[in-house]
Amino acid sequence: MIKGSLLTWLQRDCTVEQPALPPFLRNKLAQAIVAIVKREYPRVWPNFFIELVAAAGTGPGLADMFVRIMVAVDEDVISLDIPRSAGETKLSMHLKDSMREQGITEVAGAWYNLTQLYKSSRPELAAFVLGSCARYVHWIDIGLVANDKFIPLLSQLMDWQHSSLRAAATDVLIEVVSKRMEPTAKINLVQQLNVVDAMERLSSNLVAAAGANKAAAAAGPCMKANASAAGTAAAANAQALHDDEELLGKYAKLLATLAGEVMDALKRVENVIISFTVAGLGVDDEAGRDAGAAAQTANRLLDSLTRAVLTAFCSGLDTISMPLVPFISAYVARLRALVKRGQQLPAAAQMHLQAVLQGVAAATRYPDNGANEADDGSEGPGLGSSSTTASSSTIGVTANGSGRLSDADLVAAREEQYEVEERRKELLVLLKNAAKLAFREALNFVAGKLQAVLAADGSSGNGLSNGSATAAGAVAGALKANGIAGSVPFQDSELAVTLVYELGEGAPEEALKPSSGTLVQLVLLLLAQAESLPAGRHRLVALAMLETCVRYCRVLQQEQSAIPAVVSLFLGPKGLGHPAADVATRACYLLSRLVKTLRANLKPYMNEVLQQLQPYLVIVATQPPPAGTAAVGTGREVASKALAPITALVDDRLYVFEAVGLLLGQEELPAEQQHAALSSLLQPLMQQIKANLQPAAAEAAGGLGNGSWAILQAIEAIARLSKGFKWELCTRSRPQLGALFLQCLEVSLAVPQALPSNKQLRARFIAFLHRLVESLMSSVLPYLPAALEALMAREADVTDMKDVLDLLVQLVTRFKEAVGKLVEVVLPIAVSRVHGLLGADWDWTGKAVSPAAMSAASQQQQQQQQQVAATLEDAREKGELQRRYYSLLHC
């Protein structure tokens, strides 16, 4: 009865177009019919699919229902992409086996006939038909779709005027090509499809579409070489393709899938032959001839498809480029494997690698007219949040003006930067792999990019080969002739610098040899032009330049004549003085890394560096970090890292103090000069601590106001400075330096005494003690009783005591018997405080806080109120305190 009613509704209501049955009711009807099919096919209703196909040919309404029912069959029964029970999986396999025996041939014929019938009059319906077909290709007989009727139809529809039909035809072809089969069969299938020529035309169409978006302008000669191949059809389709990004992505996916499947099949054929040879097994003549013929055919197909892929890859349009990256990466890996096995590379390999470099450069470039065009960082607050600047003519810190970008614009710029950095990860790996195959070509390519940027701005091209300099001069002349000299966009400068940076990873030793290394020459050229680099003050260009300087510290060690330019870059308006907060903050960190490597090489410039750093040190020590939008540094180490807010315990700007400590902590410096310089740095910081004790005490309990922040910053600045001084220098060679740090410790002792309830100050002071123990060793012992007594005051809670016990463990482990008297004084206090915090009813066996007990308590917590959760967390904290307490007793 139900079955009859459903079929009546199907024949009565789904054939009427006015008023048409709403789509959601059609879907429900299809699902209801499939529910009956699950129970009755094939035993009770063996001719279901044949009857369905016959009904589909009677009109568009029933054709639409045919598609919806086939979709419902796939979603509700067949598809294993949806998690199913064992019984449902068995039913899925049974239904597919039954359809293979009877019905699927007629269904495949209906797909073809309906698509042919409605492609012009009802293209949306025809696309719907092909969409259902794509769902079934992966498990039906491939000959039902890959035949002399269906494939020409699909090829025709890929050039159809209706975009949905083009997309649907592309999806079907992707499924056909992706179908799993033996490698020889796959090669034969691709050859029989006869779509390689169509792929080359498609590639040209993709390039033309990218040109419509002006994204292919910088793609270079690998695109121009194929410009004539685009033809009239490509030009006609360019705008239509450009307007449909989804279709562009599908076309690129088809191209990559086809090339990838051919290469995989070729690899499997080759591996079979290699495996037999290695195992000492013979390959009979017929099998050898078949494998050789298959490999020859696959190589020919792969060469044509690779050329088409790389043409499209050079388009510079993300929608096209990114789907192609997996295949190109696999292709480069194949070339590397051939080299490793000692085999000769294909004749076109060098040309392909050049195209890979061109495509990577086009795909990694920041977009024109993007959000970062306006956000060049020129309106930022620099290192400090104050509107005033110290020596702004030198430092380059600008005030927050009315012309600053809106928060929405800043967010858009950071989001675009994050997206570009994420996209670059895979692309730059591809660049480096290509460079390992052809380093000279990669170096020349990157040098050409850099020379073009420098020449466009009129900068000198000296430093490279005569050929490169001539090329740069030609580029400059062409730009000047067109009236655009000096108008280099930041995208080109940032790209050129980034490529130089990436080329240094894994570069051969010969390229980094002093004087003669080709990469060294390129880096020296870049460093020499750092001050005049076009768009060099743009936030992203400045970041890339600073990162590059640090990467090539080894070059600076060898070529010390370049050090002044690098120091000037870091200390000028493109480094620490940059108005963009993320650039200035990142420069502080990178400066510490630079100094760590070039510590000895910077001694001749010590006085000048310290003098220029002084205003920055004042800003970092006295002004809170800028508040506002999260600032992305670079994808190299700090992608999506936000600036530390005022409430954070870590301020990355403090790395500048670490850099100064590394400079001053060298034993070769004159003792008096070293002592005077260190004293001049520490005295203001100690005064800052003293001056802010009273304001900090007046602030809200547990809060971090201006007074507390100033103390935090001063203590951490002292700790960072101490990192550059070895304990032997401070305690043996020049104890007067250690005396300065001990004076700082004496001043800092007032912090936990005056502000015992301020947890952030307590944590900073404990970290400071840890640091000075490493720097001054046993010299700090006389100051520890007062420090530990203050830290174990009655205000200390469980978390505070855990930190104190960690400190005691470090002291006992490091100094052993030397801290015996200290332990005698402190241990009774610690024991009393631990027992007081744990309470008289604490279970010292540890069963209450064992993993099993905690797991059971967590399950109970999910069913009870928040108070239970707080109690559970308290138990965990006390369990940790007990373990730390036992660790101390064990020491």
Side-chain angles (χ1 to χ4, degrees):
M1 179 178 175
I2 295 176
K3 175 179 173 183
S5 298
L6 291 175
L7 294 179
T8 299
W9 292 341
L10 179 67
Q11 296 171 359
R12 183 189 65 197
D13 297 331
C14 294
T15 55
V16 179
E17 297 192 40
Q18 295 295 335
L21 199 65
F24 78 93
L25 287 179
R26 288 173 171 265
N27 288 336
K28 290 298 182 183
L29 177 57
Q31 291 165 7
I33 292 173
V34 171
I36 295 175
V37 171
K38 288 168 65 175
R39 298 176 62 88
E40 298 190 355
Y41 181 82
R43 182 175 54 83
V44 178
W45 200 355
N47 296 325
F48 167 73
F49 288 103
I50 296 175
E51 293 174 6
L52 181 63
V53 168
T58 61
L62 288 177
D64 176 82
M65 284 305 302
F66 160 76
V67 177
R68 293 180 191 276
I69 291 172
M70 294 304 299
V71 170
V73 168
D74 178 67
E75 292 180 346
D76 295 351
V77 186
I78 293 177
S79 177
L80 296 180
D81 293 336
I82 302 170
R84 301 191 187 279
S85 66
E88 290 172 332
T89 302
K90 183 177 179 181
L91 176 62
S92 170
M93 301 301 293
H94 176 65
L95 182 63
K96 287 192 289 186
D97 290 339
S98 301
M99 289 182 68
R100 289 188 184 103
E101 293 178 4
Q102 183 182 8
I104 195 62
T105 302
E106 289 77 10
V107 170
W111 286 329
Y112 172 82
N113 294 328
L114 293 175
T115 303
Q116 188 74 269
L117 179 62
Y118 293 114
K119 65 182 181 182
S120 298
S121 60
R122 297 175 182 267
E124 291 290 349
L125 177 55
F128 197 17
V129 172
L130 289 178
S132 69
C133 173
R135 293 170 174 266
Y136 288 80
V137 171
H138 70 279
W139 64 266
I140 66 174
D141 182 2
I142 193 63
L144 296 175
V145 180
N147 52 50
D148 294 340
K149 291 173 56 180
F150 222 128
I151 294 301
L153 174 62
L154 295 174
S155 299
Q156 180 189 26
L157 294 178
M158 287 186 64
D159 290 328
W160 211 247
Q161 63 271 24
H162 201 279
S163 62
S164 63
L165 256 179
R166 295 164 122 184
T170 303
D171 284 337
V172 175
L173 279 174
I174 290 173
E175 292 297 329
V176 169
V177 174
S178 302
K179 188 172 175 64
R180 290 185 297 176
M181 59 184 70
E182 290 298 317
T184 304
K186 177 60 68 70
I187 294 168
N188 292 335
L189 172 64
V190 174
Q191 191 174 25
Q192 290 168 6
L193 291 178
N194 197 27
V195 294
V196 174
D197 291 340
M199 290 302 101
E200 292 183 333
R201 292 194 303 272
L202 171 61
S203 178
S204 298
N205 286 348
L206 293 176
V207 171
N213 196 32
K214 297 182 180 180
C222 68
M223 234 180 57
K224 295 176 183 178
N226 291 279
S228 60
T232 307
N237 288 327
Q239 190 59 44
L241 278 173
H242 163 250
D243 293 338
D244 192 338
E245 285 199 5
E246 182 180 0
L247 181 58
L248 280 175
K250 287 181 182 292
Y251 277 5
K253 182 180 178 182
L254 172 60
L255 191 56
T257 302
L258 191 59
E261 290 292 331
V262 170
M263 186 168 65
D264 180 67
L266 173 60
K267 180 180 178 181
R268 287 193 286 164
V269 169
E270 292 175 339
N271 285 345
V272 169
I273 300 175
I274 293 173
S275 299
F276 272 86
T277 304
V278 170
L281 301 175
V283 180
D284 60 67
D285 293 341
E286 184 177 357
R289 285 194 300 271
D290 291 344
Q296 186 176 5
T297 302
N299 274 308
R300 186 176 67 254
L301 292 171
L302 183 60
D303 183 64
S304 299
L305 290 169
T306 302
R307 186 167 58 249
V309 167
L310 292 175
T311 299
F313 185 55
C314 292
S315 66
L317 198 60
D318 298 342
T319 311
I320 299 171
S321 301
M322 296 314 295
L324 302 174
V325 171
F327 164 73
I328 299 174
S329 298
Y331 175 73
V332 172
R334 171 178 167 77
L335 295 182
R336 292 184 65 187
L338 291 176
V339 171
K340 189 175 181 180
R341 292 201 296 259
Q343 295 179 297
Q344 187 175 1
L345 291 178
Q350 291 300 322
M351 182 180 67
H352 291 167
L353 290 173
Q354 285 283 355
V356 169
L357 297 172
Q358 293 279 5
V360 168
T364 54
R365 187 178 184 271
Y366 271 86
D368 291 320
N369 303 318
N372 281 285
E373 287 277 9
D375 182 26
D376 59 0
S378 60
E379 301 297 336
L383 277 177
S385 58
S386 173
S387 60
T388 60
T389 62
S391 305
S392 59
S393 61
T394 302
I395 303 174
V397 182
T398 60
N400 290 333
S402 59
R404 190 179 180 186
L405 294 174
S406 67
D407 287 345
D409 290 334
L410 291 173
V411 169
R414 297 312 190 273
E415 287 178 351
E416 179 188 81
Q417 183 181 354
Y418 178 75
E419 290 171 0
V420 172
E421 295 288 358
E422 284 297 305
R423 185 172 70 244
R424 281 181 170 183
K425 289 179 181 178
E426 199 172 0
L427 289 164
L428 293 175
V429 169
L430 179 57
L431 171 76
K432 287 175 277 196
N433 286 336
K436 290 175 183 177
L437 275 172
F439 184 79
R440 181 183 300 176
E441 288 76 7
L443 178 66
N444 290 338
F445 172 78
V446 173
K449 288 288 183 184
L450 180 60
Q451 285 280 11
V453 168
L454 298 177
D457 198 54
S459 302
S460 172
N462 294 335
L464 293 179
S465 63
N466 293 333
S468 298
T470 304
V475 172
L479 290 169
K480 291 178 181 178
N482 287 281
I484 56 173
S487 60
V488 179
F490 89 87
Q491 293 92 335
D492 290 343
S493 292
E494 193 276 341
L495 175 63
V497 176
T498 296
L499 292 177
V500 174
Y501 173 90
E502 295 295 338
L503 202 59
E505 184 175 338
E509 288 295 324
E510 295 77 12
L512 293 171
K513 286 183 178 179
S515 304
S516 61
T518 51
L519 183 55
V520 169
Q521 295 180 35
L522 181 63
V523 172
L524 292 176
L525 172 63
L526 175 60
L527 297 181
Q529 303 296 335
E531 289 296 328
S532 59
L533 184 70
R537 293 202 178 193
H538 189 282
R539 187 176 63 85
L540 296 174
V541 180
L543 279 171
M545 195 66 205
L546 294 172
E547 296 277 0
T548 302
C549 289
V550 173
R551 163 149 287 184
Y552 291 103
C553 281
R554 178 179 169 185
V555 173
L556 296 174
Q557 287 178 317
Q558 300 164 348
E559 303 287 346
Q560 298 190 32
S561 60
I563 290 179
V566 173
V567 171
S568 177
L569 179 71
F570 269 87
L571 303 184
K574 297 180 182 179
L576 291 170
H578 199 285
D582 57 338
V583 178
T585 302
R586 182 65 175 166
C588 293
Y589 167 71
L590 293 174
L591 179 64
S592 70
R593 286 183 55 191
L594 185 81
V595 170
K596 190 175 293 185
T597 305
L598 301 178
R599 199 175 182 184
N601 305 93
L602 289 172
K603 278 190 293 186
Y605 315 99
M606 175 81 70
N607 293 333
E608 182 182 355
V609 170
L610 292 178
Q611 183 179 0
Q612 293 188 48
L613 279 175
Q614 186 61 35
Y616 300 116
L617 297 174
V618 172
I619 291 175
V620 172
T622 61
Q623 295 184 19
T629 308
V632 180
T634 64
R636 297 166 186 106
E637 290 185 17
V638 290
S640 73
K641 181 179 180 181
L643 289 178
I646 186 174
T647 56
L649 289 177
V650 177
D651 181 356
D652 284 348
R653 302 177 305 159
L654 288 163
Y655 277 109
V656 70
F657 279 94
E658 191 170 324
V660 172
L662 289 168
L663 283 173
L664 284 178
Q666 300 180 75
E667 297 180 8
E668 297 82 1
L669 294 178
E672 293 183 2
Q673 177 189 358
Q674 191 177 43
H675 182 272
L678 182 60
S679 178
S680 67
L681 290 169
L682 294 178
Q683 291 298 333
L685 295 173
M686 288 189 283
Q687 183 59 37
Q688 183 169 319
I689 295 173
K690 295 176 183 178
N692 284 280
L693 284 173
Q694 187 172 353
E699 293 168 358
L704 188 64
N706 291 333
S708 301
W709 178 88
I711 295 174
L712 281 172
Q713 200 77 345
I715 293 176
E716 182 62 18
I718 296 170
R720 296 294 182 101
L721 280 169
S722 70
K723 286 186 177 182
F725 293 82
K726 295 181 178 179
W727 71 269
E728 295 93 340
L729 179 67
C730 292
T731 59
R732 295 178 180 176
S733 304
R734 297 176 183 178
Q736 64 271 27
L737 299 178
L740 288 174
F741 285 113
L742 289 174
Q743 187 180 353
C744 294
L745 176 58
E746 188 173 358
V747 171
S748 301
L749 282 174
V751 175
Q753 293 169 348
L755 304 164
S757 60
N758 192 311
K759 288 186 171 295
Q760 291 172 308
L761 285 174
R762 284 178 56 89
R764 180 61 56 85
F765 179 73
I766 291 174
F768 181 53
L769 285 178
H770 280 288
R771 179 66 251 161
L772 289 189
V773 167
E774 299 298 325
S775 298
L776 303 178
M777 300 298 286
S778 59
S779 301
V780 303
L781 295 181
Y783 299 87
L784 291 178
L788 292 170
E789 183 179 356
L791 291 172
M792 290 189 293
R794 289 295 171 185
E795 291 81 358
D797 59 15
V798 173
T799 304
D800 298 332
M801 278 304 300
K802 287 194 302 181
D803 295 335
V804 174
L805 294 180
D806 284 339
L807 177 61
L808 283 170
V809 169
Q810 182 200 18
L811 294 173
V812 174
T813 304
R814 175 59 60 89
F815 300 113
K816 301 186 184 305
E817 292 83 0
V819 294
K821 293 184 178 180
L822 173 67
V823 172
E824 289 179 4
V825 174
V826 173
L827 187 58
I829 303 174
V831 171
S832 175
R833 294 296 299 126
V834 169
H835 280 262
L837 289 168
L838 293 181
D841 58 346
W842 178 252
D843 180 11
W844 286 90
T845 65
K847 293 180 180 179
V849 291
S850 65
M854 288 289 99
S855 177
S858 297
Q859 294 176 3
Q860 183 182 5
Q861 170 195 336
Q862 297 173 2
Q863 304 173 359
Q864 299 185 16
Q865 300 298 322
Q866 186 174 0
Q867 185 177 359
V868 177
T871 304
L872 179 61
E873 183 59 31
D874 182 59
R876 285 198 183 98
E877 291 287 339
K878 288 183 176 181
E880 283 293 324
L881 177 61
Q882 179 184 345
R883 282 188 281 273
R884 308 285 176 87
Y885 174 63
Y886 283 161
S887 296
L888 174 61
L889 296 180
H890 178 72
C891 289

